Amino acid sequence: DSGVTQTPKHLITATGQRVTLRCSPRSGDLSVYWYQQSLDQGLQFLIQYYNGEERAKGNILERFSAQQFPDLHSELNLSSLELGDSALYFCASSAAARSYNEQFFGPGTRLTVL
Amino acid sequence: QQQVKQSPQSLIVQKGGIPIINCAYENTAFDYFPWYQQFPGKGPALLIAIRPDVSEKKEGRFTISFNKSAKQFSLHIMDSQPGDSATYFCAASIRAGSNYQLIWGAGTKLIIKP
């Protein structure tokens, strides 16, 4: 158990809908990362937050947005969903955005768009 | 160039064999090279990591070999077991302003046959 929690574990929805994925980082970790992993694909970095502020953006679509709240939990919002958005979405946290930053991954949310 | 090239994409090895996964990079500013292990349906987890001032690091049956001049590093798994079957990701850390980011390889799906 990494100490990172993600809810829900599974999500099934229809095209055009909007969903919110939630992540609670490890206690004390200030940095949160979101990743997308499609079937048998690599990890696509989406976005990073550090202590409530956006720190880095990866290949995140304009239909997707995220935020980190004062209690450090984070939410990833996916809107106007398309079939191709079906994937595993991982949240990871690290102590700080410094070098040698081990990222601890949550169990993921499996999103299925029908 | 902020890329990490990982090969092979997939690898099948008999139990007891020594699978080798290779990664290469161009940017000499990378300063930390971790390997993550991901089992099906789980989030990745840090397996072993190395800094560029070290040529080799061993942890149990897992060894990283690092060749700074060639800008390559590799993961070796000694006496491989079916339980080592997983996807392995190499990564490299780089400073971007006040932030440090991990650049990920594409992953290698390893199967150890009994």
Side-chain angles (χ1 to χ4, degrees):
Chain A
D1 184 0
S2 67
V4 178
T5 60
Q6 288 188 249
T7 57
K9 192 169 184 177
H10 300 278
L11 197 48
I12 301 174
T13 188
T15 55
Q17 295 298 304
R18 172 189 167 95
V19 297
T20 297
L21 312 183
R22 182 187 169 103
C23 167
S24 292
R26 290 189 324 153
S27 177
D29 282 359
L30 298 177
S31 219
V32 169
Y33 310 78
W34 285 99
Y35 292 88
Q36 180 192 57
Q37 186 175 40
S38 301
L39 188 64
D40 285 342
Q41 296 294 311
L43 290 166
Q44 297 298 319
F45 167 66
L46 297 178
I47 197 164
Q48 176 201 358
Y49 278 82
Y50 176 75
N51 203 19
E53 293 185 0
E54 182 185 306
R55 270 294 178 98
K57 256 186 177 179
N59 300 321
I60 188 166
L61 299 172
E62 285 192 11
R63 301 183 285 109
F64 296 179
S65 65
Q67 55 184 328
Q68 186 179 27
F69 294 86
D71 67 351
L72 301 178
H73 91 271
S74 179
E75 292 181 357
L76 179 66
N77 300 296
L78 315 176
S79 62
S80 302
L81 285 168
E82 302 175 359
L83 295 178
D85 297 327
S86 296
L88 264 172
Y89 290 84
F90 288 105
C91 165
S93 73
S94 69
R98 62 173 186 269
S99 187
Y100 314 137
N101 54 343
E102 177 179 356
Q103 293 185 19
F104 294 86
F105 282 76
T109 292
R110 182 173 294 280
L111 173 67
T112 302
V113 182
L114 300 175
Chain B
Q1 276 281 26
Q2 289 201 29
Q3 276 188 332
V4 177
K5 295 183 180 178
Q6 184 172 348
S7 62
Q9 191 174 12
S10 61
L11 186 57
I12 301 174
V13 173
Q14 288 294 132
K15 176 184 172 182
I18 305 176
I20 300 172
I21 304 170
N22 300 298
C23 287
Y25 63 96
E26 287 296 323
N27 195 334
T28 55
F30 287 134
D31 60 0
Y32 171 66
F33 300 87
W35 286 88
Y36 282 75
Q37 180 189 52
Q38 182 183 26
F39 292 107
K42 304 291 185 183
L46 180 66
L47 181 64
I48 186 173
I50 197 168
R51 287 184 276 180
D53 54 349
V54 176
S55 61
E56 185 177 274
K57 184 172 181 181
K58 287 184 182 180
E59 285 187 6
R61 296 183 293 106
F62 299 89
T63 299
I64 300 179
S65 297
F66 190 86
N67 187 329
K68 191 173 181 177
S69 60
K71 290 186 275 189
Q72 295 175 349
F73 58 110
S74 58
L75 178 70
H76 302 234
I77 306 176
M78 305 301 176
D79 186 28
S80 58
Q81 302 296 315
D84 296 328
S85 297
T87 298
Y88 292 82
F89 294 95
C90 64
S93 177
I94 188 167
R95 181 168 183 165
S98 61
N99 199 33
Y100 285 88
Q101 295 180 24
L102 274 182
I103 308 300
W104 294 83
T108 296
K109 187 170 184 177
L110 173 65
I111 296 173
I112 307 297
K113 286 195 163 184

